[in-house]
Amino acid sequence: MKTISLYIYALFLIIGCSGEASKDAQTEHDHAKATQYTCPMHPQIVQDKPGACPICGMNLVKVNKMEESSTDLMLTDSQIKLANITTQKVTRKPIGQTVVINGRITVDEQKSEVISSRAAGRVEKLFIKETGQSIKQGQPLYVLYSEILLTLQQEYLLAKEQYELLGKTEKRYKSFVDAAGKKLLLYGLTKNQITQLTDKNSIQPRIMFVSPSEGVVTEINASEGQYIGEGAALYKIEDISSLWVEAELYPDETSLVKVGDLVNVRLSGGESSSIEARVTFLSPEYRINSQITIMRVSINNPNNTFKPGQFAQVYLTHSSREALAVPVDAVIRDGQGTHLYLQSGHNTFRPQMVKTGVEGFDQVEIIEGLKDGDTVAVSGAYLLYSEIILKKGTDPMAGHSH
């Protein structure tokens, strides 16, 4: 009887040990199964060991299947660079209400120039025959035949000849030459043309006139062969290296801005761009039969990127206060609410539901969901949103609420 009891005890001991061994083996199997590797660019590629993606050749990254339900998204360094994802620490900064005023780009009237003839004569040739053409300072504009200019050239050459003969003894002849040369300059000849007249010692019946400034030709008021009088307007040139943005203000908006303030201007066109500009003028009166006054902002245009007639928006910020704020580009808005991507580790981001407040020109106040010092994704936030949907197969904020 004692022997039977020993056999039964040994049998239970063997069964227990084998059960523990089986449980350990199952745990190891589950752990091995939990760790797999996938391609960051092609998530359909999944392997049980490290290697290279058979499609693009990138190194596979480890994916823990037990954490598949997590909304954290980990990217490689190359993905961060390709997606141009940048981060920024959340800080307290001034932010206020923003009012958007529609406007339009116009030419700077202080830099408009009318080219007129300083002598009566006949237009022999026009070098610029179409409006809209750009012109450089010193570029030929037209050729004029003028009897007045012929007479002035003769006076200059005569005074020069008298000075060469009698100038050593009579000093007054030097002043005669200088006066005759200044008169030619006043009639539009250049110093180089006067020098050539001196060197050749011969009268030029047809004088070529050049542009005194650079810009865009907007008006042409002469034709070849036309006889023009002294002071007749020939060309109008607009210098567009600086422009005005004119915006219309209603009575309740005039208190939001004053001359000298810096405002943000967003210009539309081939590529939208935002610049900071200074208010240079506020009209002291309303337009006729309206309650609209004009605000004028001056902008630089060194590369002629912006064109007169282009539409613009002026952003006026008021009631500014200090608050926790992030860039506008960092915030994602969808049917589930408002969220952004909080950096939870190295190259790792997770969606964070937030509640927003005042929205300025480029900053949004965060009332709930973040604290000072948190790091959020700024550029590339929408790419993170798309990547999570692609890899997880669902909206990252589904089921979340403020």
Side-chain angles (χ1 to χ4, degrees), residues 228-245:
I228 57 175
E230 183 178 348
L234 304 179
Y235 291 95
K236 186 175 183 180
I237 299 177
E238 306 282 3
D239 184 359
I240 61 173
S241 60
S242 66
L243 296 168
W244 287 342
V245 175

Side-chain angles (χ1 to χ4, degrees), residues 43-95:
Q44 70 271 23
I45 303 299
V46 179
Q47 295 182 6
D48 295 332
K49 58 183 179 180
C53 175
I55 298 176
C56 64
M58 291 182 63
N59 291 331
L60 301 181
V61 296
K62 185 165 63 173
V63 177
N64 194 340
K65 288 294 182 180
M66 292 188 298
E67 297 178 358
E68 195 173 50
S69 61
S70 173
T71 56
D72 282 19
L73 179 66
M74 184 176 66
L75 303 176
T76 63
D77 290 337
S78 60
Q79 282 181 303
I80 295 290
K81 292 180 180 178
L82 287 172
N84 192 29
I85 296 173
T86 59
T87 59
Q88 181 176 312
K89 282 190 177 297
V90 179
T91 58
R92 301 185 69 85
K93 59 188 68 175
I95 189 170

Side-chain angles (χ1 to χ4, degrees), residues 10 17 22 133 178 215 325 358:
C17 291
S22 176
Q133 293 191 31
D178 293 341
V358 173

